[in-house]
């Protein structure tokens, strides 16, 4: 059953990644949990595009490559 607010991401399902080191495997894991929704990583070590993609899950990392928060967009 697809939620009817498909313009928002399901950030809650990625909350478990907070505090974990970011890896490509982690990104794929979140993407699988999100039924293939777009997922990206942002932070000081990553170039970020400025496009807003409301249903995209963004994993925000710090300089130590640790996931510190989750946002939509």
């Amino acid at each position: 059953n697809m939620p009817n607010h498909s313009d928002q991401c399901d950030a809650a399902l990625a909350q478990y990644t907070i505090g974990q080191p970011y890896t490509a495997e982690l990104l794929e894991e979140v993407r699988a949990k999100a039924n293939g929704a777009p997922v990206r990583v942002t932070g000081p070590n990553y170039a970020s595009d400025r496009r807003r993609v409301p249903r995209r899950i963004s994993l925000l990392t710090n300089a130590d490559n640790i996931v510190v928060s989750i946002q939509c967009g």
Side-chain angles (χ1 to χ4, degrees), residues 38-50:
V39 183
R40 70 164 176 175
V41 61
T42 64
N45 301 326
Y46 300 94
S48 119
D49 65 25
R50 294 281 170 235

Side-chain angles (χ1 to χ4, degrees), residues 1-70:
N1 55 352
M2 290 295 294
N4 57 11
H5 52 278
S6 60
D7 61 330
Q8 266 302 315
C9 82
D10 192 356
L13 65 76
Q15 292 292 334
Y16 78 95
T17 64
I18 293 175
Q20 294 191 41
Y22 169 76
T23 62
E25 290 77 19
L26 192 66
L27 188 78
E28 289 304 322
E29 191 178 285
V30 172
R31 184 176 288 135
K33 288 179 185 292
N35 294 316
V39 183
R40 70 164 176 175
V41 61
T42 64
N45 301 326
Y46 300 94
S48 119
D49 65 25
R50 294 281 170 235
R51 287 183 312 121
R52 292 284 302 159
V53 181
R55 55 183 292 268
R56 179 169 59 190
I57 299 170
S58 292
L59 309 178
L60 277 69
T61 57
N62 64 15
D64 295 322
N65 219 35
I66 303 297
V67 179
V68 292
S69 77
I70 311 297

